[in-house]
């Protein structure tokens, strides 16, 4: 009986808070996004999440879904820049997690090196961490968080891209979580939406401390 009451209450919250909006979890790599998705989104919205595989364009994957499934989807979760999911609806609200930039790239470097099917592995897995940090043509290294939040476009300066990212945050994002304060960030969803957080699962895709190598001070400077 209690389980049924919880399920009914959860469905009430879903329809109350999401009936006028659809949500996009803008998953910035190596910000604990997979942990957030498995501990929160997949628990509360099982069967209602559209997860876009990186190797395909989102609208192509979306078009493969049956119409009945499309109508059920309330949240999209993907490694995509802001504004690339217009096909999902016109009342989109964004959620994302941010991380200290140096820590994020360090994590990306180690994850890439131990993941042979990662799209960066073939070209960059033999680089030292200092060399990796200086590969500015890699989008995930060069101001990746700001670029992903700003979205695609022609920017004449770093400041112009920064201003666009800030504008998107203020106007289209309902929450920015922080990897370094992950548990407190999850508390927002508990208090505001009544979402359930799975406390049994630990962080996933975490680099073991014994493998971690830091960039030199010269690289950071």
């Amino acid at each position: 009986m209690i389980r049924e009451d919880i399920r009914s209450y959860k469905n009430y919250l879903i329809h109350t808070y999401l009936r006028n909006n659809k949500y996009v979890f803008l998953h910035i790599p190596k910000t604990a996004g997979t942990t957030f998705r498995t501990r929160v989104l997949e628990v509360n919205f099982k069967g209602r999440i559209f997860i876009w595989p990186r190797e395909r364009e989102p609208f192509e994957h979306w078009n493969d879904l049956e119409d009945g499934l499309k109508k059920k989807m309330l949240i999209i979760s993907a490694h995509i820049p802001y504004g690339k999911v217009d096909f999902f609806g016109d009342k989109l609200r964004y959620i994302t997690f941010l991380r200290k930039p140096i820590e994020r790239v360090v994590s990306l470097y180690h994850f890439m090196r131990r993941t042979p099917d990662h799209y960066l592995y073939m070209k960059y897995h033999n680089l030292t961490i200092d060399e990796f940090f200086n590969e500015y043509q890699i989008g995930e290294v060069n101001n990746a968080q700001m670029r992903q939040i700003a979205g695609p476009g022609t920017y004449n300066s770093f400041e112009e891209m920064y201003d666009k990212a800030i504008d998107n945050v203020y106007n289209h994002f309902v929450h920015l979580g922080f990897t370094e304060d992950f548990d407190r960030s999850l508390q927002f969803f508990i208090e505001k939406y009544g979402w359930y957080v799975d406390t049994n699962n630990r962080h996933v895709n975490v680099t073991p401390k014994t493998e971690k190598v830091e960039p030199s001070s010269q690289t950071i400077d």
Side-chain angles (χ1 to χ4, degrees), residues 206-220:
V206 177
T207 301
K209 291 183 179 180
T210 55
E211 297 180 10
K212 196 170 183 179
V213 178
E214 300 286 347
S216 65
S217 57
Q218 291 88 344
T219 295
I220 294 175

Side-chain angles (χ1 to χ4, degrees), residues 74-93:
L74 295 174
I75 298 178
I76 182 171
S77 173
H79 292 291
I80 49 176
Y82 169 83
K84 202 173 181 180
V85 289
D86 292 342
F87 63 88
F88 194 52
D90 58 358
K91 292 183 178 180
L92 302 179
R93 295 295 180 266

Side-chain angles (χ1 to χ4, degrees), residues 16-56:
T16 299
Y17 288 108
L18 299 181
R19 63 188 174 188
N20 294 321
N21 294 297
K22 290 186 176 180
Y23 283 66
V24 177
F25 174 46
L26 196 153
H27 185 175
I28 298 173
K30 309 315 299 173
T31 59
T34 301
T35 302
F36 172 70
R37 192 188 74 217
T38 56
R39 289 180 61 182
V40 179
L41 299 183
E42 292 180 4
V43 172
N44 291 274
F45 304 102
K46 186 177 181 179
R48 297 172 180 263
I49 307 174
F50 170 57
I51 301 175
W52 167 44
R54 185 195 290 268
E55 64 272 11
R56 298 191 65 188

Side-chain angles (χ1 to χ4, degrees), residues 96-114:
T96 196
F97 273 75
L98 300 176
R99 186 175 185 178
K100 292 179 180 178
I102 293 174
E103 289 296 318
R104 195 195 67 81
V105 177
V106 168
S107 180
L108 172 65
Y109 171 76
H110 290 291
F111 179 70
M112 174 270 298
R113 294 193 72 201
R114 69 175 187 271

Side-chain angles (χ1 to χ4, degrees), residues 2-14:
I2 294 176
R3 182 177 296 177
E4 291 300 320
D5 288 343
I6 291 174
R7 184 180 292 113
S8 297
Y9 180 58
K10 185 189 298 182
N11 288 334
Y12 165 76
L13 289 170
I14 288 173

